[in-house]
Amino acid sequence: MSDSEYLRDLKTVWGISCHSMWAELLSISITENLVRSRYAKIESSACLDEIVYAPEVKGRLGHLTKDRYLERVPNYKDAVITNRVIILSASFELYLNNFVDAYLAARQQFYDQATGKRTAAGDKIYGEVMKVRGLSARIKKMAEMMPFKIKSLNAGLDYVDDVYMLRNVLAHRAGQVDDCAAQNIKHISFRSGDRVVITAEQMMALAAPVIKVAEGLDRKLT
């Protein structure tokens, strides 16, 4: 069975984001190695954008000297990886919204082909699902109202919850973990007050089950 256009979009966005993440990490590491190998030859007051040709960043780095750059390398790498969780969560949420629309549109009791609009029953289900907070909770609500089976997705829904909660911590709490997040994030251990930092391995371990959940939902569109 081929993927829906919505699943293809999700995989494309996430694939490009991953490739970009590895390229950004490579760029940071290349610059770090360049600075370390030429450290004695680089003046302490020199800005790195005067040494490396990159016109798109000219004037945007502040006074980024060799020492300041080397101090910040770990933070740069952390940010490149950690912020990907926002892209993953947002692209999965868009997929889920499109899935709900497409699932209802394929069933005549919920969608009137003549008018191109959902029926009253379809509007009720759509409204009830969309008002639920949390992505896995929406999936469960959809399964409850239709109903369709989601037992095969259950293991991945915990990862969807983690990604959604991490996204909220990053977007709404400047990355600082509160008690609720510390107690409910299952696959990465955080304490209340920690700053969210995700390694590349952790990011990929979160992403794979989330994509599998989308693939499982997609099979229900046929």
Side-chain angles (χ1 to χ4, degrees), residues 141-152:
K141 186 67 176 178
M142 183 78 170
E144 172 191 320
M145 295 191 73
M146 293 308 293
F148 57 64
K149 296 179 181 179
I150 58 169
K151 185 176 180 181
S152 63

Side-chain angles (χ1 to χ4, degrees), residues 105 110-119 123:
F110 302 123
Y111 194 86
D112 187 336
Q113 297 291 339
T115 63
K117 295 180 180 180
R118 286 189 296 269
T119 63
D123 277 339

